[in-house]
């Protein structure tokens, strides 16, 4: 299991230009609910296709990237939050306890 650190706004262009759906997990390192949601995703990681890019956004360090995501894909900022993006469209998103790997996998 390998998270891809999302550390620059330039990476959002790469995500939007990818041929297949991309996943972003927005995580607050100061929030116990976010930590629990991240552990749930990690525990169920094998339910996702092996070749999928899964980006991890540290909201404490990179809040401006979260703001750019909210503006570009028209999804209000939440924490924790998962988004499945296909080009310029957000095809699925969930936050807090609604984050479920089985649901994410349906959109890949």
């Amino acid at each position: 299991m390998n998270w891809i650190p999302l550390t620059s706004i330039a990476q959002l262009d790469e995500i939007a230009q990818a041929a297949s759906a991309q996943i972003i997990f927005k995580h607050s390192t100061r929030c116990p609910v976010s930590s629990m949601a991240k552990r749930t995703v990690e525990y169920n990681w094998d339910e996702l296709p092996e070749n999928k890019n899964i980006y991890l956004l540290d909201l404490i360090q990179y809040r401006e990237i979260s703001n750019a995501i909210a503006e570009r894909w028209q999804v209000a900022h939440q924490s924790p939050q998962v988004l499945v993006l296909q080009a310029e469209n957000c095809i699925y998103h969930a936050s807090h306890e609604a984050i479920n790997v089985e649901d994410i996998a349906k959109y890949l």
Side-chain angles (χ1 to χ4, degrees):
M1 165 175 75
N2 288 325
W3 293 102
I4 300 169
L6 183 51
T7 59
S8 76
I9 291 178
Q11 286 175 281
L12 300 182
D13 289 332
E14 296 171 19
I15 290 168
Q17 294 169 5
S20 63
Q22 306 291 295
I23 303 164
I24 295 176
F25 184 89
K26 294 171 26 175
H27 173 55
S28 172
T29 56
R30 296 181 187 158
C31 173
V33 173
S34 189
S35 293
M36 184 174 22
K38 182 176 177 272
R39 277 193 304 272
T40 298
V41 170
E42 291 170 341
Y43 182 77
N44 295 292
W45 194 275
D46 59 343
E47 294 181 32
L48 300 173
E50 287 184 30
N51 61 343
K52 281 296 159 199
N53 290 336
I54 305 176
Y55 293 86
L56 180 64
L57 176 59
D58 178 340
L59 292 171
I60 304 303
Q61 285 190 297
Y62 301 104
R63 178 59 193 261
E64 73 279 0
I65 297 174
S66 181
N67 294 340
I69 291 167
E71 183 177 322
R72 184 171 190 159
W73 281 282
Q74 298 298 298
V75 178
H77 165 80
Q78 297 285 323
S79 172
Q81 184 177 45
V82 67
L83 301 98
V84 180
L85 306 171
Q86 180 68 58
E88 294 295 336
N89 299 306
C90 179
I91 57 176
Y92 173 79
H93 64 91
S95 63
H96 298 86
E97 291 85 8
I99 295 173
N100 180 301
V101 174
E102 187 176 298
D103 291 341
I104 296 166
K106 292 176 188 176
Y107 291 88
L108 302 178

